[in-house]
Amino acid sequence: MSETNTPSFSEQDHHYMQRAIELAQNAEDEGEVPVGAVLVRDNEIIAEGWNRCIGAHDATAHAEIQVLRKAGEALQNYRLLDTTLYVTLEPCPMCAGALLHSRVKRIVFGAQDLKAGAAGTVLDLFESQAAYHYATVESGLMEVECREQLQAFFKRRRKEQKELKRLRREAEQKGN
Ligand SMILES: [Zn+2]
């Protein structure tokens, strides 16, 4: 893990992660994997985003990318100096790379991504030779809430897919 893995989080940190969890709910309401992100500077939200890959027909439409694009517009600068990004799920390699390019100073995430986490779980882009920019990464803020939101989503989706298969089988049998 980059820099530190035993951070102590402030009340403000909790407040912004709570907001990221709310934004993840927007994604879920739109049928997307629930991931939300908030970018903050000087205790002010600059941009908010949530996962929109399906709706936007865009594999790059992760919550973090949405936030970086909006924040760049808001600040009229791609360099998002002295900002903190709160995201409910550990950034993937694409988002970790984008965060480095954007010069985000501090990245705080909730749940680890055991399949694609690029901030220490599967790999650590922030510690790699490719990380020409220095960023602090802190993990585990409201980890349980973030993880359970994702797990509940995938559990429900599995159940729905099972039900769909059952209905299809029934329809086939009726057809015979
Ligand atoms: Zn990503």
Side-chain angles (χ1 to χ4, degrees):
M1 184 63 56
S2 312
E3 178 64 357
T4 170
N5 199 19
T6 52
S8 61
F9 295 110
S10 69
E11 216 167 285
Q12 280 168 359
D13 288 333
H14 281 87
H15 169 77
Y16 291 124
M17 188 59 89
Q18 184 58 49
R19 181 66 191 142
I21 291 170
E22 285 167 20
L23 293 165
Q25 186 60 48
N26 289 355
E28 182 160 352
D29 292 346
E30 294 171 6
E32 310 266 357
V33 176
V35 181
V38 181
L39 191 79
V40 175
R41 190 178 69 179
D42 296 332
N43 205 22
E44 191 189 334
I45 291 180
I46 294 170
E48 300 181 329
W50 58 91
N51 185 28
R52 299 203 59 237
C53 289
I54 300 168
H57 310 298
D58 182 357
T60 71
H62 286 185
E64 299 95 313
I65 304 291
Q66 303 285 337
V67 163
L68 296 180
R69 289 195 174 133
K70 283 187 203 167
E73 279 293 320
L75 300 175
Q76 289 291 295
N77 195 339
Y78 78 88
R79 288 192 172 98
L80 308 173
L81 302 174
D82 298 317
T83 55
T84 297
L85 179 96
Y86 297 88
V87 58
T88 56
L89 179 67
E90 181 177 358
C92 72
M94 172 183 72
C95 292
L99 287 163
L100 286 164
H101 280 292
S102 307
R103 316 287 205 273
V104 171
K105 191 177 185 179
R106 179 177 175 237
I107 293 123
V108 181
F109 70 86
Q112 283 184 308
D113 186 343
L114 302 178
K115 282 189 184 148
T121 299
V122 177
L123 56 103
D124 195 343
L125 264 185
F126 297 94
E127 283 283 284
S128 84
Q129 295 284 336
Y132 53 87
H133 167 67
Y134 180 78
T136 302
V137 179
E138 297 172 22
S139 64
L141 173 59
M142 303 180 72
E143 191 260 339
V144 174
E145 291 91 330
C146 293
R147 181 162 38 86
E148 283 178 352
Q149 186 181 36
L150 282 155
Q151 283 175 342
F153 170 81
F154 284 115
K155 197 174 163 189
R156 193 165 53 249
R157 198 165 74 170
R158 274 197 301 274
K159 209 172 140 190
E160 283 166 6
Q161 282 167 347
K162 231 174 152 180
E163 178 65 12
L164 208 67
K165 261 189 206 161
R166 192 183 65 79
L167 288 170
R168 246 186 238 136
R169 252 200 322 271
E170 271 182 16
E172 272 170 23
Q173 277 166 0
K174 267 185 202 151
N176 287 339

